[in-house]
Amino acid sequence: MHPLRKQRLQLVILLVAAAALVVGLVVYMLRENGNFFYTPAQIVSGEAPKSTFLRAGGMVVDGSVVRSDDSLWVQFKITDGVEMLTIEHTGILPDLFAEGEAAIASGKVDENVVLQATQILAKHDEKYTPPEVADAMNEAYKQKEAAKSGSYK
Amino acid sequence: MSRLSNWLPTNWQWFNRLGSPRWFYHRSERWLPWLSLAALLVLATGLVWGLAFAPEDAKQGNSFRIIYIHVPAAFLAQSGYFIMAIAGAIGLIWKMKISYMVMKAAAPIGAALTFIALFTGAVWGKPTWGAYWVWDARITSMLILLFLYAGVMALQYAYHSVDAASKASAILALVGTVNIPIINKSVDWWYTLHQPATIKLTSAPSMHMDMFMPLLVMIVGFYLFYAVALILHTRNEILRRERKTSWVRELATAKAGG
């Protein structure tokens, strides 16, 4: 390889390495601020800022959704497996919002550690399944659970 | 660095010939019909398969079918960036004329694909997440990719000298490559609204095979389409930059006369 070209190749590699170092440091600095939401554990433990606008994300706890009969008010709990956080919201929920699915609520946490949400977003996972396969899997799971509870009797 | 020459090819003839705009212009004329036909067939197969025959998703219903445009566009927006940056690096190191032309040609195609990925993502986000746009790490880093492409495009016109414009664009393109692994890893490094990757290199896709196969076909189709678009844009740029050479003049007279 021509020495001049070799020198230019070294410069190009140096340029990319320097850029990677700078951006790497910025990303390292942003590692907390880059998060889109806080987990219930971070909010309950006080790690998340209080009385300011924030987002909380977690799985909607089974059986925790309470709806109002005469308004769009809804209350539910989300969990990260460690802590639970109660969320209250008045408005229409996204189609994919369901118990056992992930959701992200944005709003302020009040003095009773209840998040008064102004917006609810549904977070879906990276799995894609046809309905028949999902039904078959649910059915198999139910039968397994039934067999388990049956054996205790 | 002295040992670098040991693993790089010592016979540079093929490399120099590939770098000749005239050779590339004539040779690519033969590739184009086949590539275009293949792209058309593969894309048509993938679209019909994905939109009409693949099963709907148990949770998302039919709206998940946006994936057949969204994921291939996002894939090529990132692969195309590497192509642009590598072309820029070859231009900087070897001063090869055609690599700067490829770099310039790759910018608007990549920008369009990034825009398609962002736009289809917004259309998909409304029915599933409940919002067109959120500032999470994945979507924000993808927006930065669009700005990087726009920056490379703008730099091409910011200088009077073609050489200065090419060098500046190549440096920006190379620095911007740092963004690609960030886009890729954003969903793992931070809590994002965007879900993690469905297609992984190391394990099976978390998608039913009936849904995954058309997606794979669409990705291959987008690669073929990208090749066609890149060759067409590069050929245009060759004619523009070589317009004063005798072979382009001869070509123009032959076209006008015929």
Side-chain angles (χ1 to χ4, degrees), chain B residues 114-134:
Chain B
T114 312
F115 179 78
I116 290 171
L118 286 170
F119 181 79
T120 52
V123 171
W124 196 2
K126 190 62 186 173
T128 50
W129 301 339
Y132 286 112
W133 185 271
V134 293

Side-chain angles (χ1 to χ4, degrees), chain B residues 197-253:
Chain B
T198 297
I199 305 168
K200 284 149 291 210
L201 273 178
T202 46
S203 56
S206 50
M207 190 178 200
H208 195 268
M209 268 301 144
D210 291 350
M211 299 157 134
F212 177 65
M213 288 316 290
L215 181 58
L216 206 61
V217 172
M218 283 305 284
I219 291 172
V220 172
F222 263 70
Y223 266 98
L224 288 166
F225 165 77
Y226 184 88
V228 172
L230 188 65
I231 290 172
L232 282 174
H233 274 247
T234 306
R235 282 163 61 87
N236 268 355
E237 193 59 25
I238 288 173
L239 290 185
R240 209 179 66 81
R241 287 195 193 179
E242 305 270 292
R243 61 189 179 277
K244 291 192 176 120
T245 61
S246 56
W247 74 270
V248 174
R249 277 161 191 264
E250 275 165 32
L251 205 73
T253 357

Side-chain angles (χ1 to χ4, degrees), chain A residues 13-29, chain B residues 175 178:
Chain A
I13 292 171
L14 195 72
L15 176 76
V16 174
L21 183 74
V22 170
V23 176
L25 286 172
V26 172
V27 166
Y28 183 71
M29 190 188 79
Chain B
V175 169
V178 185

Side-chain angles (χ1 to χ4, degrees), chain B residues 77 106-118 145-150 153:
Chain B
I109 307 170
L113 286 165
T114 312
F115 179 78
I116 290 171
L118 286 170
L145 183 72
L146 184 65
F147 292 158
L148 281 168
Y149 275 126
M153 283 164 74

Side-chain angles (χ1 to χ4, degrees), chain A residues 39-93:
Chain A
T39 62
Q42 284 173 316
I43 291 167
V44 172
S45 70
E47 193 188 315
K50 283 189 190 73
S51 62
T52 179
F53 185 88
L54 55 76
R55 297 191 196 87
M59 203 180 82
V60 181
V61 178
D62 270 325
S64 71
V65 180
V66 182
R67 287 172 202 267
S68 159
D69 289 333
D70 54 357
S71 74
L72 289 172
W73 182 88
V74 63
Q75 186 199 56
F76 59 92
K77 289 187 173 70
I78 59 168
T79 181
D80 53 0
V82 183
E83 291 284 355
M84 275 202 226
L85 178 73
T86 307
I87 289 164
E88 289 181 358
H89 175 66
T90 305
I92 296 167
L93 298 171

